Coordinates of all heavy atoms in Angstrom, one line a residue:
M7 N 0.1 9.4 27.4 CA -1.0 9.1 26.5 C -0.7 7.8 25.6 O -1.6 7.0 25.3 CB -1.2 10.2 25.4 CG -2.2 9.9 24.5 SD -3.2 11.2 24.0 CE -2.4 11.7 22.6
R8 N 0.6 7.5 25.4 CA 1.0 6.2 24.6 C 0.4 5.0 25.2 O -0.1 4.1 24.5 CB 2.4 6.2 24.3 CG 2.9 5.1 23.5 CD 4.4 5.3 23.2 NE 5.1 4.1 22.7 CZ 4.8 3.6 21.5 NH1 4.1 4.2 20.7 NH2 5.5 2.5 21.2
R9 N 0.6 4.9 26.4 CA 0.1 3.6 27.2 C -1.4 3.4 26.9 O -1.8 2.4 26.7 CB 0.5 3.6 28.5 CG 0.3 2.3 29.2 CD 0.7 2.3 30.7 NE 1.9 2.9 30.9 CZ 2.4 3.2 32.0 NH1 1.6 3.1 33.1 NH2 3.6 3.8 32.1
S10 N -2.1 4.6 27.2 CA -3.6 4.4 27.1 C -4.1 4.2 25.5 O -4.9 3.5 25.4 CB -4.3 5.7 27.6 OG -4.0 6.8 26.8
M11 N -3.4 4.8 24.7 CA -3.6 4.5 23.2 C -3.4 3.0 23.0 O -4.1 2.4 22.2 CB -2.8 5.4 22.3 CG -3.3 6.8 22.4 SD -4.9 7.0 21.8 CE -4.6 7.1 20.1
K12 N -2.3 2.4 23.4 CA -1.9 1.0 23.1 C -3.0 0.1 23.7 O -3.1 -1.0 23.3 CB -0.5 0.8 23.7 CG 0.6 1.3 22.9 CD 1.9 1.0 23.4 CE 2.2 -0.3 23.0 NZ 3.6 -0.7 23.3
A13 N -3.6 0.5 24.8 CA -4.7 -0.4 25.4 C -5.9 -0.5 24.6 O -6.8 -1.4 24.9 CB -4.9 0.2 26.9
N14 N -6.2 0.4 23.7 CA -7.4 0.4 23.0 C -7.3 -0.7 21.9 O -6.3 -0.8 21.2 CB -7.6 1.8 22.3 CG -7.9 2.8 23.3 OD1 -8.8 2.6 24.2 ND2 -7.2 4.0 23.3
R15 N -8.4 -1.5 21.9 CA -8.4 -2.6 20.9 C -8.8 -2.1 19.6 O -9.7 -1.4 19.4 CB -9.3 -3.6 21.4 CG -8.9 -4.3 22.8 CD -10.0 -5.4 23.0 NE -9.5 -6.5 23.8 CZ -8.6 -7.4 23.5 NH1 -8.3 -7.5 22.2 NH2 -8.3 -8.4 24.3
G16 N -8.2 -2.8 18.6 CA -8.5 -2.4 17.2 C -9.4 -3.6 16.6 O -10.0 -3.4 15.6
R17 N -9.4 -4.7 17.4 CA -10.3 -5.8 17.0 C -10.6 -6.5 18.2 O -10.1 -6.3 19.4 CB -9.6 -6.7 16.0 CG -8.2 -7.3 16.5 CD -7.6 -8.2 15.7 NE -8.3 -9.5 15.6 CZ -8.0 -10.6 14.9 NH1 -7.1 -10.6 14.1 NH2 -8.6 -11.7 15.1
D18 N -11.6 -7.4 18.1 CA -12.1 -8.2 19.1 C -12.6 -7.3 20.3 O -12.5 -7.8 21.5 CB -11.1 -9.3 19.7 CG -10.6 -10.2 18.6 OD1 -11.3 -10.4 17.6 OD2 -9.4 -10.7 18.6
T19 N -13.3 -6.3 20.0 CA -14.0 -5.5 21.1 C -15.2 -6.3 21.7 O -15.8 -7.2 20.8 CB -14.4 -4.2 20.6 OG1 -15.5 -4.3 19.5 CG2 -13.2 -3.4 20.0
Q20 N -15.8 -6.0 22.7 CA -16.9 -6.7 23.3 C -18.1 -6.6 22.3 O -18.7 -7.7 22.1 CB -17.3 -6.0 24.6 CG -16.3 -6.5 25.7 CD -16.1 -8.0 25.9 OE1 -17.1 -8.7 25.9 NE2 -15.0 -8.4 26.0
P21 N -18.4 -5.4 21.8 CA -19.6 -5.4 20.7 C -19.3 -6.3 19.5 O -20.2 -7.1 19.2 CB -19.6 -4.0 20.3 CG -18.9 -3.2 21.4 CD -17.9 -4.0 22.0
E22 N -18.1 -6.3 19.1 CA -17.8 -7.3 17.9 C -18.0 -8.8 18.4 O -18.6 -9.5 17.7 CB -16.4 -7.1 17.5 CG -16.1 -5.9 16.7 CD -14.6 -5.8 16.3 OE1 -14.0 -6.7 16.0 OE2 -14.0 -4.6 16.4
L23 N -17.4 -9.1 19.5 CA -17.4 -10.6 19.9 C -18.9 -11.0 20.2 O -19.3 -12.0 19.8 CB -16.7 -10.7 21.3 CG -15.2 -10.6 21.1 CD1 -14.5 -10.5 22.6 CD2 -14.6 -11.6 20.1
A24 N -19.7 -10.1 20.7 CA -21.1 -10.4 20.9 C -21.9 -10.7 19.7 O -22.6 -11.7 19.4 CB -21.8 -9.3 21.8
V25 N -21.6 -9.9 18.7 CA -22.2 -10.0 17.3 C -21.7 -11.3 16.7 O -22.5 -12.0 16.1 CB -22.1 -8.8 16.5 CG1 -22.5 -9.0 15.0 CG2 -22.8 -7.6 17.0
R26 N -20.5 -11.5 16.7 CA -19.8 -12.7 16.1 C -20.5 -14.0 16.6 O -20.6 -14.9 16.0 CB -18.4 -12.7 16.1 CG -17.8 -11.6 15.1 CD -16.4 -11.5 15.0 NE -15.5 -12.1 16.0 CZ -14.3 -11.8 16.5 NH1 -13.9 -10.5 16.3 NH2 -13.5 -12.5 17.2
R27 N -20.5 -14.0 18.0 CA -21.1 -15.3 18.8 C -22.4 -15.5 18.1 O -22.8 -16.6 17.9 CB -21.2 -15.0 20.2 CG -19.8 -15.4 21.0 CD -20.1 -15.4 22.4 NE -19.0 -14.8 23.0 CZ -18.8 -13.5 23.5 NH1 -19.8 -12.7 23.4 NH2 -17.8 -13.1 23.9
L28 N -23.3 -14.5 18.0 CA -24.7 -14.6 17.5 C -24.7 -15.1 16.1 O -25.5 -16.0 15.7 CB -25.5 -13.4 17.7 CG -25.7 -13.0 19.2 CD1 -26.2 -11.6 19.3 CD2 -26.8 -13.9 19.8
L29 N -23.8 -14.5 15.3 CA -23.7 -14.9 13.8 C -23.4 -16.4 13.7 O -23.9 -17.1 12.9 CB -22.8 -14.0 13.1 CG -23.2 -12.7 12.9 CD1 -22.2 -11.8 12.3 CD2 -24.5 -12.5 12.1
H30 N -22.3 -16.7 14.6 CA -21.7 -18.1 14.5 C -22.9 -19.1 14.9 O -23.0 -20.2 14.4 CB -20.6 -18.1 15.4 CG -19.8 -19.5 15.1 ND1 -20.0 -20.6 15.8 CD2 -18.8 -19.7 14.3 CE1 -19.2 -21.6 15.4 NE2 -18.4 -21.0 14.5
A31 N -23.7 -18.7 15.9 CA -24.8 -19.6 16.5 C -25.8 -19.9 15.5 O -26.5 -21.0 15.6 CB -25.3 -18.8 17.8
V32 N -26.1 -18.9 14.5 CA -27.1 -19.3 13.5 C -26.4 -20.0 12.3 O -27.1 -20.0 11.2 CB -27.8 -18.0 13.2 CG1 -28.7 -17.5 14.2 CG2 -27.0 -16.9 12.4
G33 N -25.2 -20.3 12.3 CA -24.6 -21.1 11.3 C -23.9 -20.3 10.2 O -23.4 -20.8 9.2
L34 N -23.6 -19.0 10.5 CA -22.9 -18.2 9.4 C -21.5 -18.3 9.7 O -21.1 -18.3 10.9 CB -23.4 -16.8 9.5 CG -24.8 -16.5 9.1 CD1 -25.2 -15.1 9.2 CD2 -24.9 -16.9 7.6
R35 N -20.6 -18.3 8.8 CA -19.2 -18.4 8.9 C -18.5 -17.1 8.1 O -19.1 -16.7 7.0 CB -18.6 -19.7 8.3 CG -19.1 -20.9 8.9 CD -18.9 -20.8 10.4 NE -19.3 -22.0 11.2 CZ -20.4 -21.9 11.9 NH1 -21.1 -21.0 12.1 NH2 -20.8 -23.1 12.6
Y36 N -17.5 -16.6 8.7 CA -17.0 -15.3 8.2 C -15.6 -15.2 8.4 O -15.0 -15.9 9.1 CB -17.8 -14.2 8.9 CG -18.0 -14.4 10.4 CD1 -16.9 -14.2 11.2 CD2 -19.1 -15.0 10.9 CE1 -17.0 -14.5 12.6 CE2 -19.2 -15.3 12.2 CZ -18.1 -15.1 13.1 OH -18.2 -15.3 14.4
R37 N -15.0 -14.1 7.9 CA -13.6 -13.8 8.2 C -13.6 -12.6 9.1 O -14.5 -11.8 9.0 CB -12.9 -13.3 6.9 CG -13.0 -14.3 5.7 CD -12.1 -15.6 6.0 NE -10.7 -15.3 6.3 CZ -9.6 -15.5 5.4 NH1 -9.9 -15.8 4.1 NH2 -8.5 -15.2 5.8
V38 N -12.6 -12.6 10.0 CA -12.5 -11.5 11.0 C -11.3 -10.6 10.8 O -10.2 -11.1 10.4 CB -12.4 -12.1 12.5 CG1 -12.2 -11.1 13.5 CG2 -13.6 -13.0 12.7
N39 N -11.6 -9.3 10.9 CA -10.4 -8.3 10.7 C -9.8 -8.6 9.3 O -8.6 -8.8 9.3 CB -9.5 -8.4 11.9 CG -8.7 -7.0 12.1 OD1 -9.4 -6.1 12.0 ND2 -7.5 -7.2 12.3
F40 N -10.6 -8.5 8.3 CA -10.1 -8.9 7.0 C -10.3 -7.8 6.0 O -11.2 -7.0 6.0 CB -11.0 -10.1 6.6 CG -10.6 -10.8 5.3 CD1 -9.6 -11.6 5.1 CD2 -11.3 -10.5 4.2 CE1 -9.2 -12.2 4.0 CE2 -11.1 -11.1 2.9 CZ -10.0 -12.1 2.9
R41 N -9.3 -7.8 5.1 CA -9.4 -6.7 4.1 C -10.3 -7.2 2.9 O -9.8 -8.1 2.2 CB -8.1 -6.5 3.3 CG -7.1 -5.7 4.2 CD -5.8 -5.5 3.4 NE -4.7 -4.9 4.3 CZ -3.6 -4.6 4.0 NH1 -3.1 -4.9 2.7 NH2 -2.7 -4.1 4.9
P42 N -11.5 -6.6 2.6 CA -12.4 -7.1 1.6 C -11.7 -6.9 0.3 O -11.8 -7.6 -0.7 CB -13.5 -6.1 1.8 CG -13.6 -5.6 3.2 CD -12.0 -5.6 3.5
I43 N -11.0 -5.7 0.1 CA -10.2 -5.5 -1.2 C -8.7 -5.6 -0.7 O -8.3 -4.7 0.0 CB -10.5 -4.0 -1.8 CG1 -12.1 -4.0 -2.0 CG2 -9.7 -3.9 -3.0 CD1 -12.6 -2.8 -2.5
P44 N -8.0 -6.6 -1.2 CA -6.5 -6.8 -0.6 C -5.6 -5.5 -0.9 O -4.9 -5.2 0.1 CB -6.1 -8.0 -1.5 CG -7.3 -8.7 -1.7 CD -8.4 -7.6 -2.0
R45 N -5.8 -4.8 -2.0 CA -4.9 -3.7 -2.2 C -5.2 -2.5 -1.4 O -4.5 -1.6 -1.3 CB -4.8 -3.5 -3.7 CG -6.2 -2.9 -4.3 CD -6.0 -2.8 -5.8 NE -7.4 -2.4 -6.4 CZ -8.3 -3.1 -6.6 NH1 -8.3 -4.4 -6.2 NH2 -9.5 -2.7 -7.2
L46 N -6.6 -2.4 -0.8 CA -6.9 -1.3 -0.1 C -6.6 -1.6 1.4 O -7.1 -2.7 2.0 CB -8.4 -1.2 -0.1 CG -9.1 0.0 0.5 CD1 -8.6 1.4 0.1 CD2 -10.6 -0.1 0.4
N47 N -5.9 -0.8 2.0 CA -5.2 -1.0 3.4 C -6.4 -0.6 4.4 O -6.2 0.2 5.3 CB -4.0 -0.2 3.6 CG -3.4 -0.6 4.9 OD1 -3.7 -1.7 5.4 ND2 -2.4 0.2 5.4

């Protein structure tokens, strides 16, 4: 199970990438995989 769990992405998944491409195309700039509240993990 460990190997299969390691293969799962925590970021840059296909749905995320598709949405980010569209946001970028309309001129929006953003942070990726970012802590909105730094002290909150």
Side-chain angles (χ1 to χ4, degrees):
M7 176 145 96
R8 182 170 163 75
R9 188 178 317 163
S10 67
M11 291 292 283
K12 287 179 77 171
N14 292 311
R15 293 182 155 285
R17 61 177 281 178
D18 298 336
T19 63
Q20 288 303 313
E22 287 177 37
L23 291 173
V25 169
R26 288 182 357 216
R27 270 188 223 100
L28 293 165
L29 293 172
H30 195 272
V32 296
L34 294 176
R35 300 302 177 256
Y36 45 81
R37 304 293 301 263
V38 176
N39 203 43
F40 186 77
R41 289 183 186 179
I43 302 173
R45 67 186 177 281
L46 181 62
N47 191 18

